[in-house]
């Protein structure tokens, strides 16, 4: 069925479609991914100056010093070791949450981007979900799944992110439906599934990538907020949100290091994810 | 028989609606409002159903958490019968809907207080905080966004974009902590982050900012404003990033449009040009403001908790951590009603501001 020149043409187009990933303006993306991966791996691999789960009871609330770089908290935990170790827990958790949202949201969005009532109905249901107070809903959902297992936070991330992916894919998909090449695909008798996955999906991939980055950033904040109110890792395990919470009461007394360092770690990671999203987005706008 | 009677009634109603529609310039709006408001009970029904459904599925037993660790199985059984937890799904659902229709949202398991009373006490605090935060977010966000759009792809735009990234990447509860340390502890410029008023004030809740302003009690107004400052800025600064992004996108679209080019060609001053550009760009900004309002009901729960704000967010968060089912259901209903109201208002305001929008 497919003739040789057509095949050659599409191969050429595929290469040129990927080329934009590798030019110089993508440098922030490469650096950002590198920094995040390094941070994650560091938390799991490099030897830490202190055991992040064993408190030094003799020196609680010591300020940053040569010994304890980021100081110690109320129970004598070393803040630096905990900030680094928490990275290897919080970042993968955010990533898993985002990928789970992606896996659920994109097919649903593609399904909803079809013409007809089905799409409308799916979107009405998500609209109702969006009218809900998401943080409280997350707390309820995580309680549903069991509060002690940290992976249940993934449900909370999904409930905030799946509707975003769906809305995005649907909006882009609906716009693409009118395009000539989709019409052509219909005309030669391509199935709906083939059109959705072979023709629409590759064309919304860039937008999805931007959303992945934004969602991961948002997921990190959700994880931290939930940990802040006491949902997530069981106590001795470090997580940034819980660490901010543990030092919060001391902020008004001038002991800033317990809360500020984990907060800066969140800020640092979220900022890089946002920079990645911005760079990708401006790239897509130009192309 | 009934069906045949209903049809002429419906025809008469739609004829009357048509008459309203043609009655004048406000007619279309009136019809739109009628249609939307008739849809409100349906939405409320859906929200109430979901509120009930989600919490019905909760695996935790509220009776167990009420009696605590010291409670005996007999206590648990007694509370079960008291709360009607042993009834079947349909009985409980029916009772719930019936109560909601009659304005009875139940009694909080832990506070032993009517949920409606609690909402009446906590909601004003939250509404004032959200309004204050949105005003701050709007002012910061729209100025930064418009500034960036005006200098698009030039040096000031890059500075503004860095600022937007910083705002977007700060978790609001972390910023609240930073503000407590810097403004309260280091500078001593804000009151202690606890509650809405100074401790010896008679009023501790309600529309303190708006109420004191309209009653001309300036000392109390100033006190309420000072207490509002830190949580308001913490929320406002973070959510300003979304206003800034929306404003940057819609303003640069407006500034590069044909009518602005034409306005400049006619020799209009830059201030006037900016004003014209803003009037085409304001719809998406306003829409974002409305969405933000819905997000903040509940979305500011953590910040409320930090500042012991006694708002609905804090109340709902406490309730959901304790599995206080009536509180959670009440909050979901309140948030749903607020969101619906805001979206309805948004549609009306956008229609008045943007003549291209038609109500059909």
């Amino acid at each position: 069925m497919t003739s040789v020149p057509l095949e050659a043409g599409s191969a050429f187009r595929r290469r040129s479609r990927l080329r934009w990933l590798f030019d110089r303006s993508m440098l922030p993306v490469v650096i950002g991914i590198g920094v995040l991966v390094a941070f994650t791996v560091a938390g799991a691999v490099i030897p830490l100056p202190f055991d992040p789960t064993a408190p030094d009871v003799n020196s609680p609330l010591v300020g940053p010093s040569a010994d304890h770089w980021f100081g110690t908290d109320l129970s004598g935990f070393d803040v630096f070791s905990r900030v680094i170790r928490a990275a290897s827990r919080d970042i993968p958790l955010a990533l898993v949450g985002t990928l789970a949202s992606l896996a659920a949201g994109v097919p649903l969005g593609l399904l909803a981007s079809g013409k007809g009532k089905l799409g409308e109905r799916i979107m009405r249901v998500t609209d109702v979900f969006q009218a809900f107070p998401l943080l409280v809903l997350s707390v309820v959902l995580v309680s549903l799944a069991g509060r002690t297992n940290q992976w249940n936070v993934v449900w909370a991330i999904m409930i905030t992110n799946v509707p975003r992916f769906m809305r995005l894919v649907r909006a882009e998909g609906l716009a693409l439906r009118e395009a000539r090449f989709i019409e052509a695909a219909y005309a030669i008798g391509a199935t709906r599934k083939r059109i959705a996955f072979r023709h629409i999906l590759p064309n919304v991939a860039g937008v999805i990538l931007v959303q992945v980055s934004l969602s991961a950033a948002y997921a990190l904040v959700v994880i931290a907020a939930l940990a802040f109110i006491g949902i997530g890792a069981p106590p001795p395990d470090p997580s940034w949100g819980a660490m901010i919470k543990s030092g919060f009461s001391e902020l008004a007394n001038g002991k800033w290091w317990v809360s500020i360092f984990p907060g800066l770690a969140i800020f640092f990671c979220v900022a890089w994810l946002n920079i990645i999203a911005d760079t990708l987005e401006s790239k897509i706008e130009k192309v | 028989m009934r069906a045949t009677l209903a049809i002429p009634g419906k025809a008469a109603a739609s004829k009357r609606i048509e008459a309203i529609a043609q009655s004048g310039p406000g007619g279309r709006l009136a019809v739109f409002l009628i249609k939307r408001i008739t849809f409100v009970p349906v939405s409320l029904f859906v929200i109430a159903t979901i509120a009930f459904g989600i919490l019905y599925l909760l695996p935790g037993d509220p009776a167990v958490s009420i009696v605590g660790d010291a409670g005996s199985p007999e206590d648990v059984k007694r509370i079960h019968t008291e709360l009607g937890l042993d009834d079947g799904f349909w009985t409980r659902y029916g009772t719930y809907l019936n109560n909601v229709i009659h304005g009875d949202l139940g009694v909080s398991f832990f506070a032993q207080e009517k949920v409606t009373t609690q909402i009446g006490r906590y909601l004003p605090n939250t509404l004032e905080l959200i309004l204050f935060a949105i005003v701050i977010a709007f002012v910061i966000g729209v100025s930064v966004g418009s500034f960036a759009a005006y200098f698009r792809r030039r040096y000031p735009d890059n500075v503004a974009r860095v600022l937007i990234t910083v705002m977007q990447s700060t978790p609001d509860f972390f910023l609240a902590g930073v503000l407590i340390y810097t403004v309260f502890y280091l500078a001593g410029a804000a009151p202690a982050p606890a509650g809405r008023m100074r401790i010896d004030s008679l009023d501790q809740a309600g529309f303190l900012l708006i109420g004191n302003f309209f009653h001309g009690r300036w000392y109390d107004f100033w006190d309420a404003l000072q207490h509002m400052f830190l949580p308001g800025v913490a929320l406002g600064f973070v959510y300003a990033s979304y206003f800034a992004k929306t404003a940057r996108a819609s303003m640069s679209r407006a500034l590069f449009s044909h009518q602005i080019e034409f306005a400049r060609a006619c020799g209009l001053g830059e201030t006037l040009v900016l004003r014209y550009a803003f009037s085409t760009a304001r719809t998406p900004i306003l829409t974002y403001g409305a969405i933000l309002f819905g997000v903040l009901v509940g979305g500011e729960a953590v910040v409320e908790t930090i500042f012991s704000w006694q708002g609905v967010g804090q109340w709902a968060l406490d309730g959901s951590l304790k599995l206080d089912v009536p509180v959670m259901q009440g909050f979901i209903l309140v948030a749903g009603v607020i969101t619906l109201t805001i979206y309805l208002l948004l549609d009306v305001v956008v229609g008045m501001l943007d003549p291209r929008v038609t109500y059909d």
Side-chain angles (χ1 to χ4, degrees), chain A residues 128-146:
Chain A
V128 172
F129 260 92
Q130 293 229 305
F132 274 97
L134 289 175
L135 185 72
V136 174
L137 207 60
S138 305
V139 174
V140 174
L141 254 180
V142 178
S143 314
L144 256 165

Side-chain angles (χ1 to χ4, degrees), chain A residues 128-129 131-133 135-137 139-140 143-145 147 214 218 221 224-225 228-229 231 241 244 248 251-256 259-260 262-264 266-267 270-271 274-275 278 281-282 285-286, chain B residues 46-47 50-51 54-55 57-59 152-153 161 165-166 168-171 173-174 176-178 180-181 184-185 242 245 297-299 301-302 306 316-317 320-323 328 331-332 335-336 339:
Chain A
V128 172
F129 260 92
F132 274 97
L135 185 72
V136 174
L137 207 60
V139 174
V140 174
S143 314
L144 256 165
R147 242 177 244 167
L214 286 175
Y218 191 67
V221 176
F228 188 91
I229 56 180
I231 293 176
I244 296 180
F248 221 83
L251 277 172
N253 305 325
K255 311 277 195 299
W256 53 274
S259 284
I260 300 294
L264 286 177
I266 299 175
F267 172 77
V270 174
N274 281 326
I275 290 169
D278 270 3
E281 196 172 19
S282 59
E285 258 173 30
K286 262 186 235 162
Chain B
V46 174
I47 290 174
I50 293 178
I54 288 175
L55 300 173
L57 293 173
L58 266 182
R152 193 175 166 80
R153 308 243 153 125
R161 282 172 69 181
T165 308
V166 169
Q168 195 185 359
S169 309
T170 318
F173 57 93
F174 173 56
V178 173
I180 288 174
Y181 177 67
F184 168 68
Y185 176 75
Y242 298 96
K245 280 189 141 185
V297 178
V302 178
I306 291 170
L317 203 58
S320 49
L321 286 170
K322 286 182 194 154
L323 295 183
M328 288 190 271
F331 177 70
I332 289 175
T339 314

Side-chain angles (χ1 to χ4, degrees), chain B residues 282-322:
Chain B
R282 66 193 170 189
T283 314
I285 299 174
L286 209 66
T287 307
Y288 183 70
I291 294 172
L292 184 57
F293 202 103
V295 169
L296 277 176
V297 178
E300 31 67 284
V302 178
V303 172
E304 274 188 1
T305 310
I306 291 170
F307 289 94
S308 331
W309 198 251
Q310 303 289 319
V312 280
Q314 187 185 357
W315 168 66
L317 203 58
D318 283 349
S320 49
L321 286 170
K322 286 182 194 154

Side-chain angles (χ1 to χ4, degrees), chain B residues 186-230:
Chain B
L186 287 184
R196 298 210 50 190
M197 297 291 274
R198 61 189 185 280
I199 211 96
D200 57 342
S201 167
L202 292 175
D203 302 316
Q204 290 292 343
F207 288 108
L208 295 173
L209 203 60
I210 298 167
N212 286 325
F213 179 78
F214 280 111
H215 286 100
R217 294 191 290 256
W218 299 115
Y219 183 72
D220 288 339
F221 173 72
W222 178 235
D223 192 38
L225 192 64
Q226 279 181 316
H227 279 81
M228 185 82 86
F229 186 71
L230 290 190

